[in-house]
Amino acid sequence: MKKLIKQKTNFLNDMLDGLSKTNKQIEIISDTVVVRKNKKEQGVSLVSGGGSGHEPAHAGYVAKGMLDAAVCGEVFTSPTPDKILSAIKAVDNGDGVLLIVKNYAGDVMNFEMAQEMAEMEDIQVATVIVKDDIAVEDEAQRRGVAGTVIVHKYAGYLAEKGLSLTEIKDKVEDLLPKIKSIGMALTAPMVPTTGQYGFDIEEDEMEIGVGIHGEKGLSREKVEPVNQIVERLIQVLLTEVESDELIVMVNGMGATPLSELNIAAKYVGENLEQKSKSIAHWLVGDYMTALDMQGLSLTFVPSSEELLVALTDTTESPYFH
Amino acid sequence: MKKLIKQKTNFLNDMLDGLSKTNKQIEIISDTVVVRKNKKEQGVSLVSGGGSGHEPAHAGYVAKGMLDAAVCGEVFTSPTPDKILSAIKAVDNGDGVLLIVKNYAGDVMNFEMAQEMAEMEDIQVATVIVKDDIAVEDEAQRRGVAGTVIVHKYAGYLAEKGLSLTEIKDKVEDLLPKIKSIGMALTAPMVPTTGQYGFDIEEDEMEIGVGIHGEKGLSREKVEPVNQIVERLIQVLLTEVESDELIVMVNGMGATPLSELNIAAKYVGENLEQKSKSIAHWLVGDYMTALDMQGLSLTFVPSSEELLVALTDTTESPYFH
């Protein structure tokens, strides 16, 4: 297995060191918490985070118009409550903090503990939990995947507009059940901290419904041409998304070139057209990756005027476009 | 060999179809020419292009503040003179057109022919040729690689400022010999249109000085830790770049995750610090790729106030940051 970076230790610290050296907008506090250099002086602050290995998520979205802080765990590992608390305390300006958490047991538990600790220090905190991965049948168990980035942008827009913590939480919770994602992979991610692949897969197989840590999906299939792959994903998505006007994200899993994502987008567009769906807005690129996994995910959200404005409003994050 | 997209035909057209579906700023003319929807009404227009497989180069840089058109050849294949002529005619507003060409025999010949044809139609055209890849010893033979994107941004800034064609050409030609790049790869690109890898490489080897089409480099070595790899590249670069204050690009070759580019950037920064060099500006990301090659290139340019302003000035390209 060939990798530029095979570090079993220091992967996270080295990555954050590189990120802070090269990005003038952010700085690192408490070792693994990325915050904006220009702290927001008023308005609700947004904190997200989780395990690393999903770059540019989450640290790349710490910027005006999106997050105020990202708490970075080790690769595929939840950050600890003390780090999350550090983030909350660093960004709070008295107007409250919204935690945007992907639905993984460790993340949910640790963000919840941090919320309790912050509340004991009289900081107003609310939490929203993203569960957009419809590959898992039980809705309570659904994982948070690429749709989380749409939540970052939407909440970031609402915070910039000056809405209160309660208002933002309510609006995000209205949106959350409408965001649906499903992924697929040809290869497993190589986890540098273990030196192991995330799963085993044969040369002629693909995993449909894979998670962003290489979790098992809906089914293991023989590799098909990309138009058939997107048809499979779209069929599953449209069982849960009923709108005729969609916002569509084609998310790369880390080692899928932009050319391939655009080719996939072409087939997604044609397929939806045949199904009489229109696409109000596209997001194509690496938003929520799984290290160097080859594959992609699709996220569908029913279009709304407010969400379109939120997604196209400016942000200083170089990774959201 | 596993690939999401293995198309031997239609790769280029499908990719451009996807790009134009998903990007509201651009449109396709003459099948393979990407132009801005809002044509520049005055000022010099910039045209670049070349073979495909380098995404986001070149089409991703067609945006206010960078290119006015990109002429896209088939994968790793020069575009033909008639397509280049179409681009020139589409963007010209009477103030002239600058062609930014990477130094490959086919590109240089075809852009030159298109220039002659355009001049016969009384369009004012000038050409600059980028030769930033110092892996090739003979300066006349040096390939144009990731440094080309710095030229796109610099020339785009100058054009927005309203400089004349002659002024922009002169300024770009002053900058060109100062831009130095060198690449490395762990894996070869899989060329979809042939179904073949770009070159053979063993599991424990890396190519130092590789080109963006998988051309042979300076040497074939055993894979080393990333800090030693960047030391090798920096040593070669500093034989040709003498300034103590640098602009540094860490460019991903297509299948290298952002986490790994940031880790590489950390070691580049530390290494340069030890050599008493300071870094005025960083560019980290996939700017000029080689399909799905694993690897990176470094580009060094002596810093100047004007270049810093040009590189940080806004552009509407989502891929330059």
Side-chain angles (χ1 to χ4, degrees), chain A residues 12-38 52 58-60 62 68-72 83 86-87 90, chain B residues 262:
Chain A
L12 173 60
N13 290 333
D14 279 4
M15 178 182 78
L16 292 179
D17 195 0
L19 190 73
S20 64
K21 263 194 171 62
T22 61
N23 185 327
K24 294 194 177 101
Q25 296 180 68
I26 56 112
E27 60 189 330
I28 313 291
I29 60 165
S30 306
D31 297 332
T32 56
V33 176
V34 177
V35 297
R36 285 167 59 183
K37 267 190 193 156
N38 294 321
S52 293
H58 304 80
V62 175
D68 296 284
V71 195
C72 305
K83 302 290 184 183
S86 291
Chain B
N262 273 310

Side-chain angles (χ1 to χ4, degrees), chain B residues 2 27-28 41 64 96 113 131 140 153 178 213 245-246 268 302 311:
Chain B
K2 294 184 100 162
E27 60 188 330
I28 313 291
E41 284 179 15
K64 186 168 159 61
M113 280 179 64
K131 313 177 182 180
K153 186 70 179 71
K178 299 178 187 154
H213 311 90
E245 198 185 12
L246 301 173
V268 171
L311 293 178

Side-chain angles (χ1 to χ4, degrees), chain A residues 65-81:
Chain A
M66 291 186 78
L67 303 179
D68 296 284
V71 195
C72 305
E74 295 290 336
V75 174
F76 294 174
T77 304
S78 297
T80 52

Side-chain angles (χ1 to χ4, degrees), chain B residues 207-228:
Chain B
E207 182 77 28
I208 297 285
V210 71
I212 55 171
H213 311 90
E215 301 95 326
K216 216 173 144 26
L218 286 175
S219 60
R220 181 65 60 98
E221 310 280 346
K222 295 289 175 199
V223 177
E224 294 172 349
V226 68
N227 59 327
Q228 292 173 36

Side-chain angles (χ1 to χ4, degrees), chain A residues 2-3 14 186 260 267, chain B residues 2-3 14 205 260 267:
Chain A
K2 296 184 97 163
K3 291 286 295 168
D14 279 4
L186 294 179
E260 301 196 4
Y267 289 104
Chain B
K2 294 184 100 162
K3 291 286 294 168
D14 280 3
E205 287 178 342
E260 301 197 3
Y267 288 104

Side-chain angles (χ1 to χ4, degrees), chain A residues 1-7 10-24 53 55-56 184-187 201-206 223-226 229 254-270 273 279-284 286 289 291-292 294-296 318-319 321, chain B residues 1-7 10-24 53 55-56 184-187 201-206 223-226 229 254-270 273 279-284 286 289 291-292 294-296 318-319 321:
Chain A
M1 172 275 318
K2 296 184 97 163
K3 291 286 295 168
L4 194 58
I5 309 295
K6 298 170 98 164
Q7 288 169 269
N10 288 332
F11 184 95
L12 173 60
N13 290 333
D14 279 4
M15 178 182 78
L16 292 179
D17 195 0
L19 190 73
S20 64
K21 263 194 171 62
T22 61
N23 185 327
K24 294 194 177 101
E55 293 66 33
M184 59 77 53
L186 294 179
T187 62
I201 187 162
E202 296 297 323
E203 196 49 40
D204 61 347
E205 288 179 341
M206 62 180 177
V223 177
E224 292 173 348
V226 67
I229 294 174
T256 309
L258 183 59
S259 52
E260 301 196 4
L261 296 181
N262 273 310
I263 292 174
K266 168 205 154 84
Y267 289 104
V268 171
E270 284 180 1
E273 217 168 281
I279 299 166
H281 188 64
W282 286 93
L283 300 158
V284 179
D286 282 4
T289 63
L291 292 164
D292 58 348
Q294 260 197 60
L296 55 78
Y319 302 110
H321 49 80
Chain B
M1 173 274 316
K2 294 184 100 162
K3 291 286 294 168
L4 194 59
I5 309 297
K6 298 170 98 164
Q7 287 168 271
N10 289 333
F11 184 95
L12 173 59
N13 290 333
D14 280 3
M15 177 182 78
L16 292 179
D17 195 359
L19 191 72
S20 64
K21 263 194 172 61
T22 60
N23 184 327
K24 293 194 176 102
E55 293 66 31
M184 61 77 54
L186 293 179
T187 62
I201 187 162
E202 297 296 325
E203 197 48 41
D204 61 347
E205 287 178 342
M206 62 179 176
V223 177
E224 294 172 349
V226 68
I229 294 174
T256 309
L258 184 59
S259 52
E260 301 197 3
L261 296 180
N262 273 310
I263 292 175
K266 167 205 155 83
Y267 288 104
V268 171
E270 285 181 0
E273 216 169 282
I279 299 166
H281 188 64
W282 286 94
L283 300 158
V284 180
D286 281 5
T289 64
L291 292 164
D292 59 347
Q294 260 199 59
L296 55 78
Y319 302 110
H321 50 79

Side-chain angles (χ1 to χ4, degrees), chain B residues 223-240:
Chain B
V223 177
E224 294 172 349
V226 68
N227 59 327
Q228 292 173 36
I229 294 174
V230 303
E231 164 66 15
R232 266 182 198 277
L233 302 180
I234 289 170
Q235 270 188 15
V236 182
L237 285 164
L238 291 184
T239 61
E240 303 213 7

